[in-house]
Amino acid sequence: MMKGVETLTVCEARRLALARAGLLTPSWTGLPHRAAGRRVRARAAAAAVIARFGYLQLDTVSIAGARSHAIVLLSRLRGFDPELAEQLLQPGAPLFEYWGHEASWIPLDLYPAFEFRRREFRHHPWWGDVVGEHPGVARTLRRRIREEGPLRSVDMEGRGSRGWWDIKVAKRVASALWSSGELAIRERRSFQRTYDLAERVIPRAIRAHPLHKRDGLEVLLLKALEGHGWATAGTIASTWRLANRKAEIESALGRLADRGAIVPCALENPKGRPTPGWIRPDDRELAARLARARLRADRGVLLSPFDPVLWDRARVTRLFDFDQVLEVFKPAARRTYGYYCLPVLAGERLVARFDLKAHRKDGTLRVLTCRFEGTGTTRPAQAADGEAARTALERYAAALDLEPVGWPRGTGRVR
């Protein structure tokens, strides 16, 4: 144990992470767990989940029948319509799109905290001063949007060429103007961005009060910890891709600690020195109560590979003893589990992972692979794990209105 510093057991940190992530019962999470019925209620439930983390990461891959942002919400909100997940960003919604963990939908009240990033991104992080290099394109985009109204990315004029780095100049400039805060994403249609002037998307009352970098960092770091429960300084910073800012991060965490908003807390490590980290005082109390509780065993739920609980691979190993790998970019022959695997959470354990492919034309969700932890095979070591995986698969397929097929023999009812 670290002298003079609070400590958590791995069990406490794991349960706290699930509680803060909205993956335990509502009595522990304080979040809704159903979103059936009127769309207004479903939108409000989704907004509550997003507010907990401070972001909902967007991703284009839909091979499993839904994109990551929909899967994150489906795993927490029973009865949630996956189609609604594609329509959350719209005029009047309490969200804006920006660079959070990655491109994300973020609660509107965090807009002032990103002022420092908008200033820094006046030079685009990938393309440099692309606006300065193409002033004519920038002027044309500004004029068209001002006079003609919102403009979809697919409707931008410009001569494209081959390869990712030869993307149309107009799209590069639009992305740069959005990154710097001059433009904003009004909505997405078929996952295509629609750009508009920021002043027509972000309410004046919010734009009028940008935060100084020092204050913005504090807001974002505290919000990250709210979603994680316990976390290392590295995880907290990585939540918002705050790279190469070690001194600033340490100073901000120190100021939060001085105010009593957070306290240092180490994670016990039976094999070595405790891992330094941070926790909010209320969450330390919650962790203690969770450690004494007899948690209801969840029958199984599928998680997106980009779920807020899963993107930090070292953290997942530390808390769940689970090797979270993303093999989308690996050649097929080098994949261990599959192209786009969705882990199965059963209670507080990650017990398996599915690689799925949706076939909308024939209404099926095909199981390409299912690998169980502790066995490396399609057969679970425990019957309960097989039941949890089956339940998770059937629940997910039902949400997509698809029929699951291809379940391994001897592991349940799915054909």
Side-chain angles (χ1 to χ4, degrees), residues 65-372:
R67 295 186 177 93
S68 176
H69 42 286
I71 299 171
V72 169
L73 296 173
L74 288 172
S75 65
R76 290 155 172 83
L77 300 172
R78 302 225 175 191
F80 188 79
D81 181 357
E83 293 289 329
L84 182 58
E86 303 296 333
Q87 304 163 15
L88 290 177
L89 184 68
Q90 61 177 21
L95 301 171
F96 72 104
E97 182 170 329
Y98 197 57
W99 298 112
H101 180 67
E102 296 289 351
S104 304
W105 288 339
I106 301 171
L108 200 52
D109 60 7
L110 288 181
Y111 186 87
F114 285 95
E115 178 65 14
F116 74 94
R117 178 160 287 172
R118 290 188 289 273
R119 288 179 177 273
E120 292 174 352
F121 282 8
R122 288 174 181 174
H123 278 64
H124 196 278
W126 298 337
W127 302 315
D129 188 19
V130 66
V131 174
E133 293 169 3
H134 301 280
V137 175
R139 283 194 300 270
T140 299
L141 278 173
R142 292 184 183 108
R143 177 185 55 77
R144 287 192 61 187
I145 293 173
R146 187 182 305 109
E147 297 176 359
E148 301 173 21
L151 185 65
R152 294 188 306 165
S153 57
V154 295
D155 294 333
M156 292 178 186
E157 296 177 1
R159 186 172 59 188
S161 54
R162 293 173 294 179
W164 171 256
W165 296 111
D166 290 325
I167 192 172
K168 291 179 181 179
V169 170
K171 290 186 178 181
R172 287 189 182 184
V173 171
S175 178
L177 293 173
W178 164 63
S179 298
S180 68
E182 189 171 341
L183 299 181
I185 309 302
R186 186 176 186 85
E187 61 184 342
R188 281 185 180 253
R189 297 179 185 176
S190 301
F191 206 62
Q192 290 289 329
R193 290 170 171 166
T194 299
Y195 291 94
D196 201 352
L197 301 178
E199 62 204 57
R200 297 201 297 230
V201 176
I202 309 299
R204 179 193 296 269
I206 292 176
R207 288 185 289 109
H209 299 286
L211 292 180
H212 185 275
K213 183 178 184 179
R214 171 187 171 110
D215 298 324
L217 285 175
E218 290 181 16
V219 168
L220 293 178
L221 297 179
L222 189 58
K223 173 55 69 173
L225 198 54
E226 180 184 343
H228 291 303
W230 172 89
T232 65
T235 295
I236 295 170
S238 294
T239 302
W240 306 111
R241 299 300 187 199
L242 297 169
N244 303 316
R245 302 173 189 267
K246 185 177 180 180
E248 290 179 302
I249 298 301
E250 289 179 351
S251 294
L253 292 172
R255 293 192 298 271
L256 290 170
D258 289 342
R259 296 205 302 268
I262 64 176
V263 295
C265 182
L267 183 68
E268 292 182 359
N269 179 7
K271 299 180 181 179
R273 298 179 62 185
T275 304
W278 297 90
I279 195 169
R280 302 184 311 162
D282 287 350
D283 285 340
R284 182 64 189 92
E285 296 177 10
L286 175 59
R289 287 188 282 118
L290 282 163
R292 298 190 296 268
R294 183 174 181 178
L295 299 183
R296 189 183 73 184
D298 194 315
R299 293 172 58 197
V301 62
L302 288 181
L303 301 181
S304 161
F306 299 109
D307 193 283
V309 169
L310 296 178
W311 57 254
D312 189 327
R313 186 174 179 181
R315 176 180 168 86
V316 176
T317 300
R318 189 178 286 132
L319 298 187
F320 295 92
D321 192 24
F322 184 87
D323 185 20
Q324 170 58 15
V325 293
L326 184 65
E327 300 182 291
V328 168
F329 303 108
K330 287 185 180 179
R334 294 177 55 193
R335 294 176 194 144
T336 301
Y337 302 106
Y339 176 74
Y340 191 80
C341 284
L342 282 65
V344 177
L345 177 69
E348 59 182 295
R349 296 184 304 121
L350 294 168
V351 301
R353 60 193 98 199
F354 280 102
D355 190 22
L356 304 172
K357 186 173 184 179
H359 296 271
R360 288 288 181 184
K361 289 185 178 180
D362 60 15
T364 61
L365 181 66
R366 180 160 294 279
V367 177
L368 303 179
T369 64
C370 176
R371 299 285 291 273
F372 285 90

Side-chain angles (χ1 to χ4, degrees), residues 386-403:
E387 177 66 14
R390 180 191 64 78
T391 301
L393 174 64
E394 292 185 343
R395 171 182 164 183
Y396 177 70
L400 300 180
D401 196 24
L402 297 174
E403 180 70 21

